[in-house]
Amino acid sequence: MYKDLEQALLDLEKAGMLKRVYQEVDPFLEMAEMARQAFENHGPALLFEHVKGSPFRAACNIFGTQERLDFLFRKTLAGTQTAVLFKSNPVEFFKHARPIALCRAALTGLYSLPHKSGSIRNFRECKLSDLPQIVCWPHDGGAFLTLPQVATRPAEDASVMTTNLGMYRVQISGNDYASNECGLHYQIKRDIARHHQKAIEEGRPLKVSIFIGGPPAHTVATVMPMPENLSELLFAGMLGGHRFRYFIHNDYLVSSDADFCILGEVQPDLKPEGPFGDHIGYYSDKHLFPYLKVEKVLCKKNAIYPFTVVGRPPQEDTLFGNFIHQVTKPMVPASIPGLAALHAVDEAGVHPLCLALAHERFLPYIKPEEREPLELLKTANAILGFNQASLSKYLLIAAAEDFADSEGKPSPTEIVRDVEGFFKHVLERVNFSRDLHFETCTSIDTLDYTGGRLNHGSKLTIAAAGPVRRNLRHNPQDIQALREALSPVGIAGAASPMPGVIMLQGPAYDASSRNVLFHQITEALGLWPFRENYPWITLVDSATDAFPSGAAQNTLRDFLWFTFTRSDPAKDVFGYNERTCEKHWKCDAPIIIDARIKPHHQKALTLPDDIRNRARQILIEENILPEDR
């Protein structure tokens, strides 16, 4: 549909979905904050005409609303969805397909194959330092590419169809990088790791091509969860409405339609990369990661540099996640037998919390009131071994059969995306002496520091099936009574963000006194008459901004972020009357999650007021945001 990024941006401008910023803007914090404010206010995409210190224009918030995503892919989305359904479940596809769907799938398939076209003559050379040096958060270690398309192949002579295209963080300045070096931060369980491992085994450097810009479909394809050994270039062609164009230069793959291409080799040693303000809402620390020695930086005439900003959800990448689900929702259930729907909760930082709906059919002859999690546990193990879902830290899984008589008969997708409703369903049914399953000393998301070591932590699966075993309450008087009972042990605030859940504000974390504190809390709970009616308690500390004046804000969003980004299951899950039986940890209601800030946690992302105010002022002066009233 679009041949390059500028064509797409002009189309957005014509539709009133993009505004130009003519003032010179500073890439140090200012541009990123303008992007955040444009997103938060449901504003337009922004095209910066003058970036301080760079000869190139820059664009952001391109994918910042569902309306813009629908607009950019209005001619190709239906065909792409049809092709994904055909790939995921051909039997189901042919069972219900109409002739128009068959034609659409065939036409989409024609666009999917990459096409060799173009040459180095279409580009000129520049330097990494010429790119807009965008720094998003005050403690970032330097400038980073935030929308890179990182392309690798298993061998230099490998077919283009073996290309992996991924979005991995790339640091282009700071630390001890030379002017022709850039950091390559890829997380665990990424496909690039297979190509890197093969290069190491064969004793050769891995050649890496980093594309920036080009048709919007190329950027979106980079974050699509494609099956292993199926190249994202195919998806880029499908969603873009025309074939991915490329050529080979010095054994590097080059995108003919990208605005910029960085070509380099991974070096045999490692260099510090980071810190970086990440999508979970905290900094990721400085660590040793691979880096590239850059051979060439290529740019198109009038190239435009696209970027995004990440931080505590929701941000623009939230829309990416929603769009991925919109396109690929038939793919995951078809890949895991028994799974009906899966939802990684954005407000909880994505990987820290995953909700799943699956079938419980191991014993079809038992009565519904005798149902318990059996097949659910098999499916949970499959989820924790599947692609990026394997990084889930907390997995809540429920039986689809228990929703059979739900009012209005919501779809599986609707069920898992109703976070409050799903929690209510699970908490009503979970048997805390049977249904909590820990996986300790395992791998978690690279960006999650709750485990104490990079990539290391634990997981907790909570499975629920069968009849309702408790009624949930949501009564302010209950909460006040508990807060008063706990005030002698340092609990200063309490609130209920949803039925059955309480957030307590306690003292700052102190390892030496934690066991005493939790003993005191559980003693008080034993005297509280509503212990079973509030089976989930999250403990946060006095530094938590959910309690600005000692009274908690009653928000589900705060509960999800604090609980799941600030706790490690094996370290931080406690329970009333907790005990171990036959190596199985169990308790009675409620479970208590210690989500206070620990010494090994990273800093939450904050920004100076003067930067925030300056960014807003420019947006007002450019008639992009209204003046404060």
Side-chain angles (χ1 to χ4, degrees), residues 493 495 505 540-555 558 562:
Q505 180 191 32
V540 297
D541 54 42
S542 56
T544 297
D545 54 9
F547 295 83
S549 303
Q553 295 175 355
N554 188 15
T555 66
D558 282 339
F562 296 132

Side-chain angles (χ1 to χ4, degrees), residues 368-373 399 402 425 429 434 464-469:
E369 60 269 22
E370 297 172 347
R371 186 180 293 130
E372 63 178 294
D402 290 332
H425 179 93
R429 289 164 174 78
R434 180 194 65 198
V468 171
R469 62 175 57 244

Side-chain angles (χ1 to χ4, degrees), residues 129-266:
S129 58
D130 291 329
L131 304 180
Q133 301 294 299
I134 295 175
V135 177
C136 297
W137 295 101
H139 299 297
D140 281 358
F144 290 81
L145 310 182
T146 53
L147 286 178
Q149 305 157 40
V150 181
T152 58
R153 291 178 292 162
E156 292 170 10
D157 59 351
S159 165
V160 69
M161 298 297 288
T162 64
T163 301
N164 173 69
L165 198 64
M167 190 172 286
Y168 313 119
R169 198 166 80 208
V170 177
Q171 184 171 354
I172 60 173
S173 68
N175 294 340
D176 61 348
Y177 296 124
S179 60
N180 65 336
E181 294 175 346
C182 61
L184 179 61
H185 176 129
Y186 66 79
Q187 296 161 250
I188 59 174
K189 302 181 182 179
R190 306 289 179 172
D191 287 344
I192 189 176
R194 293 185 293 107
H195 295 174
H196 195 184
Q197 179 64 34
K198 191 170 188 297
I200 292 171
E201 291 170 353
E202 295 176 357
R204 58 176 173 82
L206 178 67
K207 288 186 177 292
V208 176
S209 305
I210 302 172
F211 313 139
I212 307 169
H218 293 191
T219 299
V220 174
T222 309
V223 295
M224 281 291 161
M226 301 296 286
E228 193 171 303
N229 296 321
L230 188 61
S231 176
E232 288 79 9
L233 303 187
L234 298 171
F235 188 88
M238 286 185 202
L239 188 62
H242 64 90
R243 299 165 71 180
F244 184 98
R245 301 193 317 134
Y246 74 95
F247 61 90
I248 304 297
H249 173 72
N250 290 349
D251 294 323
Y252 288 99
L253 180 75
V254 180
S255 168
S256 301
D257 298 319
D259 288 71
F260 301 89
C261 296
I262 300 170
L263 312 178
E265 293 183 343
V266 177

